[in-house]
Amino acid sequence: MRLLVTGCAGFIGAAVARTALGDGHEVVGVDNLNDAYAPALKQWRLDRLAPLPRFAFVRADVADRALGAALAPHGRFDTVVNLAARAGVRDSRRDPWSSVEANALGALNLLEFCREAGVPKFVQASTSSVYGGAARPFTEETPPDPRSPYAASKLAAEAYCAAYHHLYGIDASILRYFTVYGPAGRPDMAVFRFVHWIEEGRPVVLFGDGRQERDFTHVDDVARATLSALRPLGCEVVNVGGARPVSMLDLIALIERATGKAAVVERREAQAADAPATWADVSKARELLDWAPITPLEDGIAACVAWRREHRALAAAALSVSPPPARIEARFPLSRE
């Protein structure tokens, strides 16, 4: 199968591309290698994909209307797996326009590409953030409660998938990922930061009282679920989560055991956009995708510690990069006429 995987230098995108190649698929990866977080980390992931057989890379922006022209030389695809995103609940408050462009407009451009190029299958990455403060565990029937521009932009992408399925028959699998972690993860995520800070003896910055819970999901499990969603499903929303909520205090304790070092916790005020807790009901994933999480959190944390020890300089550099400055005006201003 020929796959177009967007966001291929991102954390989840690189894992999906690598797993797909290992399964014998052909992958064309797309990424704009932006500076939303350390480009060096994205390049590190891409450098490990580039030598693999059946992989080609296109540097392009999914929010660019000319995307189809950039992809035209690479022929036809059986599936588009859209993992390109401007992620992060907190960052989306600082720069909401980037969320709209990458997540909503990007999904629309790719769906238009599928329509024009006759690509029958579309896999869309969504997020547990769409559930907000809803009652747990979250099922796919739980009413969305978006509490950030990031969550809202992902809901918009979901709506575009439903519309293009209805209008053009594109088979759309929408996967709501829950707190993905693993080696070489995103430096704005808690596991990456906490492991590095504890190893370095630096204070662990903890927002809130630490009792907030997250349903951590290992990136390899997420990659398996994503590729399982290549099958024909119609148009379905499916939770992909670890199904084991863990408090931030318990996460810190797990990292302390894995590193053999004690954490120094520096508490900060809770963030308004952060959900108090997440917890995935994955019954639908078991039924439709024949998938369930298999990586214990303890093993996943140990792998993160091992990666950080092997790549200490890269981890430190990734955490030292400041996010790009927020824009103060929308990319698409309203007409004054």
Side-chain angles (χ1 to χ4, degrees):
M1 188 177 290
R2 295 195 78 238
L3 309 181
L4 177 68
V5 177
T6 69
C8 69
F11 177 38
I12 300 174
V16 169
R18 183 179 63 249
T19 303
L21 292 165
D23 288 348
H25 298 297
E26 184 177 350
V27 174
V28 175
V30 172
D31 206 294
N32 65 356
L33 300 175
N34 64 36
D35 60 354
Y37 64 84
L41 185 55
K42 299 177 183 183
Q43 190 63 53
W44 182 90
R45 301 187 193 112
L46 186 59
D47 288 345
R48 276 140 191 82
L49 288 174
L52 299 179
R54 303 182 308 280
F55 178 76
F57 176 64
V58 178
R59 183 164 185 172
D61 189 338
V62 296
D64 187 345
R65 290 280 293 275
L67 179 64
L71 297 175
H74 294 273
R76 294 182 61 84
F77 298 96
D78 299 300
T79 300
V80 170
V81 183
N82 183 26
L83 300 167
R86 186 61 76 101
V89 167
R90 295 170 189 163
D91 277 355
S92 75
R93 295 184 65 193
R94 182 181 56 83
D95 182 4
W97 298 289
S98 290
S99 293
V100 173
E101 292 167 15
N103 304 342
L105 180 58
L108 176 60
N109 281 347
L110 288 162
L111 285 161
E112 271 291 290
F113 171 76
C114 289
R115 180 185 68 80
E116 293 173 354
V119 181
K121 179 72 187 187
F122 191 80
V123 179
Q124 170 66 39
S126 191
T127 172
S128 62
S129 295
V130 302
Y131 293 116
R136 301 180 301 151
F138 303 147
T139 73
E140 292 81 359
E141 287 72 40
T142 299
D145 179 27
R147 297 187 173 190
S148 67
Y150 168 64
S153 68
K154 283 295 191 177
L155 272 179
E158 292 188 15
Y160 282 129
C161 289
Y164 274 67
H165 172 72
H166 173 74
L167 292 172
Y168 308 115
I170 295 174
D171 190 293
S173 299
I174 300 162
L175 306 179
R176 290 176 176 167
Y177 299 141
F178 282 67
T179 314
V180 185
Y181 78 102
R186 281 187 12 229
D188 60 312
M189 298 293 282
V191 170
F192 191 108
R193 288 171 174 264
F194 289 5
V195 166
H196 185 76
W197 288 337
I198 291 173
E199 284 275 79
E200 293 289 300
R202 295 173 53 189
V204 173
V205 177
L206 180 64
F207 293 94
D209 62 9
R211 291 182 292 180
Q212 60 270 39
E213 295 181 333
R214 292 293 178 267
D215 194 350
F216 294 96
T217 317
H218 194 275
V219 68
D220 290 346
D221 289 341
V222 168
R224 286 190 303 105
T226 304
L227 294 176
S228 293
L230 298 181
R231 64 190 69 184
L233 292 174
C235 184
E236 295 285 352
V237 175
V238 183
N239 287 339
V240 175
R244 177 193 168 188
V246 173
S247 75
M248 302 307 289
L249 291 176
D250 286 341
L251 172 67
I252 291 171
L254 283 173
I255 297 172
E256 287 179 318
R257 288 197 288 272
T259 60
K261 299 180 180 181
V264 177
V265 178
E266 181 180 304
R267 297 183 184 273
R268 302 273 180 87
E269 185 177 354
Q271 298 286 294
D274 288 353
T278 64
W279 180 7
D281 182 321
V282 296
S283 302
K284 192 172 182 180
R286 289 191 176 96
E287 177 185 354
L288 294 185
L289 307 182
D290 301 315
W291 176 90
I294 61 174
T295 307
L297 182 57
E298 293 79 1
D299 293 351
I301 293 298
C304 292
V305 171
W307 181 88
R308 185 264 170 201
R309 288 178 174 175
E310 183 178 356
H311 303 284
R312 177 183 177 276
L314 178 60
L319 283 171
S320 69
V321 174
S322 300
R327 282 174 286 173
I328 60 173
E329 74 282 336
R331 178 76 59 89
F332 312 108
L334 295 174
S335 172
R336 296 180 182 272
E337 297 179 2

